Amino acid sequence: MSSPVLLPRRVHLRSRPDVTLLRPCLALTLYLEPGPRWASEWASHLFQAFLEHAPADQLRWFRSSIEERWRPVGELSTLAEALSFGGAWRDGGERHLLKVVVRDDQDLPETCFSYREVARGRTPRVGFAELRLPFDHDPDALLALAIEAAHRFPLACGVGGYAFALDPRHPRNAGHAAWRESKRYLGVDLLAPEPFSLFADEALPGTGWLTLIGATGARAGVDVDRLAARAWRNDVAAMSLPHALLLRAGARPHTGDVNLMDLPLAQAEVSAALAPHLATKVTLPGRFREEEATRDWILRHVEPETWS
């Protein structure tokens, strides 16, 4: 595994050192299959699972999309109450476009739970949950969360491992910084669940240390049984779980630092196997948009010559 010390702890805006554009973290992004129980219980249960594996004492603030200000978590008798703040939107099913965020007190959080709910009859996008842990947290916690989610909840697909969180307040600058850092760190994901959720119903939003193939796999034509039985050349483990096939690329995540020739070979093999099913129509901000390079980044393990 590449040394975590070599990843920048943060990348800041050049003219504003107090503004963080990128922050590395461990992250699990789950794209969710629809169902009325997300509103009534599943979202809360997923959040409770997150609290069992995250440094919950770092969580300071929460907000739902129907509120104008952040509230201190001290206003809650239990943190799980945050997931009920969209209750007024509920009309016998999903709370369309409700978003709830519980986070630490950094300007760009590294410990964070974000949840987006959608009513599938009203949009092509899918709901998602993004679970962030500090970069130096035990990766086994992320693996445990992925396994529990695929056991308990209906999933479309998902990606987990090392990732850069991008500042949503400065998308162009954050996109420039992410483009630059992604040239060096081939194993680090970029957290962009909003744009990927527009395509995650029919295509996979990339690969990572952990790649979850749920109901989207069937719609995209992925031969899940063949993947589960495949004899992988590298250290790839396949776990068939009730709601998804989980592919783990190595015992630990890799940053894929090209300066150290620490290439993420196991993740690259997973990417090659899933390349025809990846969501290459997504557009990320900054230089990704300006150079039409999002597809090149998504396929960086499969077509390295276009991304190097």
Side-chain angles (χ1 to χ4, degrees):
M1 182 178 70
S2 58
S3 172
V5 177
L6 296 179
L7 264 181
R9 297 305 301 178
R10 60 187 286 268
V11 177
H12 62 77
L13 191 61
R14 188 169 299 175
S15 61
R16 291 275 308 279
D18 59 314
V19 175
T20 304
L21 296 175
L22 295 182
R23 190 182 299 280
C25 58
L26 280 167
L28 176 65
T29 306
L30 302 171
Y31 297 89
L32 313 174
E33 279 293 284
R37 292 174 65 189
W38 282 113
S40 62
E41 57 182 296
W42 288 337
S44 179
H45 291 171
L46 179 59
F47 183 51
Q48 290 285 6
F50 171 73
L51 293 177
E52 292 175 5
H53 296 283
D57 60 323
Q58 295 184 14
L59 297 172
R60 296 286 187 271
W61 303 95
F62 79 95
R63 187 173 72 178
S64 76
S65 50
I66 62 175
E67 297 181 299
E68 295 183 356
R69 68 177 182 89
W70 290 93
R71 298 192 182 196
V73 298
E75 293 185 5
L76 300 169
S77 60
T78 65
L79 279 174
E81 286 182 28
L83 270 296
S84 69
F85 268 75
W89 288 26
R90 191 178 173 195
D91 185 18
E94 298 95 341
R95 302 161 291 187
H96 186 51
L97 295 182
L98 169 72
K99 188 171 185 180
V100 177
V101 180
V102 187
R103 52 171 288 176
D104 62 28
D105 59 1
Q106 301 186 79
D107 64 328
L108 182 59
E110 64 175 355
T111 302
C112 182
F113 178 95
S114 300
Y115 171 76
R116 170 75 81 182
E117 193 170 302
V118 301
R120 287 287 291 278
R122 300 174 60 180
T123 176
R125 73 170 66 234
V126 300
F128 65 81
E130 182 190 275
L131 290 62
R132 296 185 202 170
L133 302 171
F135 180 81
D136 55 2
H137 203 72
D138 185 355
D140 282 345
L142 202 71
L143 176 61
L145 278 168
I147 292 172
E148 183 169 356
H151 263 293
R152 299 178 61 187
F153 311 115
L155 303 177
C157 49
V159 179
Y162 289 139
F164 283 120
L166 283 68
D167 182 7
R169 302 165 299 176
H170 303 87
R172 185 170 181 268
N173 298 89
H176 287 340
W179 183 91
R180 182 177 63 250
E181 297 297 334
S182 294
K183 290 288 185 177
R184 175 173 176 177
Y185 299 108
L186 300 182
V188 180
D189 194 18
L190 302 177
L191 298 183
E194 294 286 1
F196 275 108
S197 71
L198 290 167
F199 301 91
D201 185 46
E202 297 181 350
L204 302 175
T207 64
W209 173 48
L210 308 176
T211 303
L212 290 143
I213 307 167
T216 296
R219 292 189 289 267
V222 179
D223 190 338
V224 175
D225 292 336
R226 185 174 181 180
L227 282 177
R230 177 171 173 156
W232 300 88
R233 295 190 305 275
N234 293 285
D235 183 16
V236 177
M239 303 174 63
S240 295
L241 301 168
H243 294 288
L245 173 68
L246 172 61
L247 300 177
R248 186 186 67 184
R252 284 287 195 266
H254 269 69
T255 60
D257 187 344
V258 297
N259 287 5
L260 297 179
M261 294 300 292
D262 181 29
L263 303 181
L265 298 179
Q267 185 179 341
E269 187 177 2
V270 173
S271 296
L274 294 174
H277 313 289
L278 298 180
T280 56
K281 295 181 181 180
V282 174
T283 299
L284 297 176
R287 290 188 67 175
F288 291 100
R289 178 184 296 276
E290 295 169 8
E291 300 190 13
E292 298 182 348
T294 306
R295 178 188 179 277
D296 296 340
W297 173 75
I298 292 171
L299 297 176
R300 64 196 182 280
H301 303 130
V302 183
E303 301 174 3
E305 67 280 359
T306 66
W307 183 244
S308 59

